[in-house]
Amino acid sequence: MEATTRLRAIRPQEPAPGAGPGAFDSLFRSAASHTPQDDPPPPYYGEDRAPRRRNPVVVVLAVVVGCAVVGLGAGAALSGGEESPTSPVEQEQDQDQQQDQEPPATGNNDAADPTDAADPETAAQARELSALLDDSNDSRDSVIAAVSDIRACERLNRAADDLRAAAQQRESLVTRLQGLDVGAIPQGDALVQALTEAWQASAEADEHYAAWADQARQDRQVCDGGQARHTDRATQGDTASARATQAKEQAAGLWNPVAREQGLPERAAEEL
């Protein structure tokens, strides 16, 4: 009875067009031979299905990877995207900073004061010559003022006296210079010669300018119009003054290197 009912539920397939009566019978027999046991069991969706267990090794690895990612993110945030401290650029900068912070080495390589390493005899001679040079500029202002007065035909007697006094002071410098020992000073002999020529030429110029003042005072034609005429003595004074200037420049070039080495004052040509 059950088999008959199931056969009714199954709709027999129609034979293909042109098939004979045998094909129809074959279909019917195939349907009659089908039994309930031939159907596959239906899928089960009930709640009695056992849950799927996770592999503990996979869980541990996932936790480790997550911690690593979090650590890398925190490190990148703290570093602010700066270059790695082990990069060659920062290593070189660190070395330079360490060298700058290192205290200067002490010992025999320390830079000494120039006067400490100087020969005592050279230092003593240089100091004596420097003291003489300090006196060489004493009469300069008075000479300039005297020549200015002569040109303006003013205070001619005083101008002549100041110029002759200056000439004597130059000669006194030459005398004192000859008494100094400069053998230990580099190029000391050349320096003494240049200073001698400079001061002698200056004394000669002073004498010529003093004679020019006498001419202006004695001859009214020299001061005609309120300005002193340039006489032969004035021209001779200019020539001697030019020689003095040239010798002073040479002397300054010889003295200043010695002064720097000994820690003494340097001087320009016009200060001699």
Side-chain angles (χ1 to χ4, degrees), residues 14 70 77 104 109 132 142 170 174 179 193-194 197 199 203-204 217 231 239 242 244 254 257 265 270 272:
E14 296 180 0
V70 173
N109 293 330
L132 179 60
S142 63
R170 318 270 196 187
V174 174
Q193 182 178 358
E197 292 178 357
W199 291 334
E204 182 181 347
R217 180 172 52 87
T231 65
T239 302
L254 294 172
E270 60 271 14
L272 298 177

Side-chain angles (χ1 to χ4, degrees), residues 85-135:
T86 58
S87 65
V89 174
E90 291 196 6
Q91 287 180 358
E92 184 176 355
Q93 293 177 352
D94 293 341
Q95 292 176 359
D96 294 340
Q97 292 177 358
Q98 292 177 359
Q99 292 177 358
D100 294 339
Q101 295 175 358
E102 291 179 357
T106 58
N108 296 330
N109 293 330
D110 289 345
D113 188 17
T115 58
D116 295 339
D119 179 70
E121 184 178 4
T122 303
Q125 294 181 4
R127 286 194 298 268
E128 292 181 359
L129 181 55
S130 180
L132 179 60
L133 297 178
D134 288 339
D135 297 338

Side-chain angles (χ1 to χ4, degrees), residues 43-258:
Y44 180 77
Y45 297 101
E47 295 181 359
D48 295 337
R49 185 176 180 180
R52 182 178 179 181
R53 298 181 60 186
R54 297 182 178 179
N55 193 333
V57 177
V58 176
V59 175
V60 173
L61 290 177
V63 173
V64 172
V65 172
C67 292
V69 172
V70 173
L72 291 175
L78 293 176
S79 62
E82 295 180 355
E83 189 178 2
S84 173
T86 58
S87 65
V89 174
E90 291 196 6
Q91 287 180 358
E92 184 176 355
Q93 293 177 352
D94 293 341
Q95 292 176 359
D96 294 340
Q97 292 177 358
Q98 292 177 359
Q99 292 177 358
D100 294 339
Q101 295 175 358
E102 291 179 357
T106 58
N108 296 330
N109 293 330
D110 289 345
D113 188 17
T115 58
D116 295 339
D119 179 70
E121 184 178 4
T122 303
Q125 294 181 4
R127 286 194 298 268
E128 292 181 359
L129 181 55
S130 180
L132 179 60
L133 297 178
D134 288 339
D135 297 338
S136 65
N137 200 32
D138 290 345
S139 60
R140 181 172 184 268
D141 293 339
S142 63
V143 169
I144 295 176
V147 173
S148 178
D149 287 341
I150 297 172
R151 288 173 178 167
C153 293
E154 297 176 353
R155 295 179 290 273
L156 297 176
N157 288 335
R158 179 178 177 179
D161 293 341
D162 289 343
L163 287 168
R164 289 187 172 96
Q168 292 179 358
Q169 191 258 348
R170 318 270 196 187
E171 294 292 347
S172 175
L173 291 174
V174 174
T175 302
R176 291 170 57 187
L177 178 62
Q178 300 300 327
L180 294 180
D181 184 5
V182 295
I185 297 178
Q187 303 186 60
D189 293 339
L191 177 57
V192 168
Q193 182 178 358
L195 288 172
T196 301
E197 292 178 357
W199 291 334
Q200 287 179 345
S202 293
E204 182 181 347
D206 295 338
E207 290 290 351
H208 287 302
Y209 289 137
W212 182 28
D214 293 338
Q215 290 176 336
R217 180 172 52 87
Q218 297 170 359
D219 189 352
R220 294 183 178 179
Q221 293 182 356
V222 175
C223 282
D224 187 18
Q227 294 291 328
R229 179 171 55 85
H230 212 71
T231 65
D232 56 342
R233 299 304 295 267
T235 301
Q236 292 172 355
D238 293 342
T239 302
S241 179
R243 292 201 320 268
T245 300
Q246 184 177 1
K248 290 176 182 179
E249 291 176 352
Q250 182 181 0
L254 294 172
W255 166 252
N256 288 334
V258 177

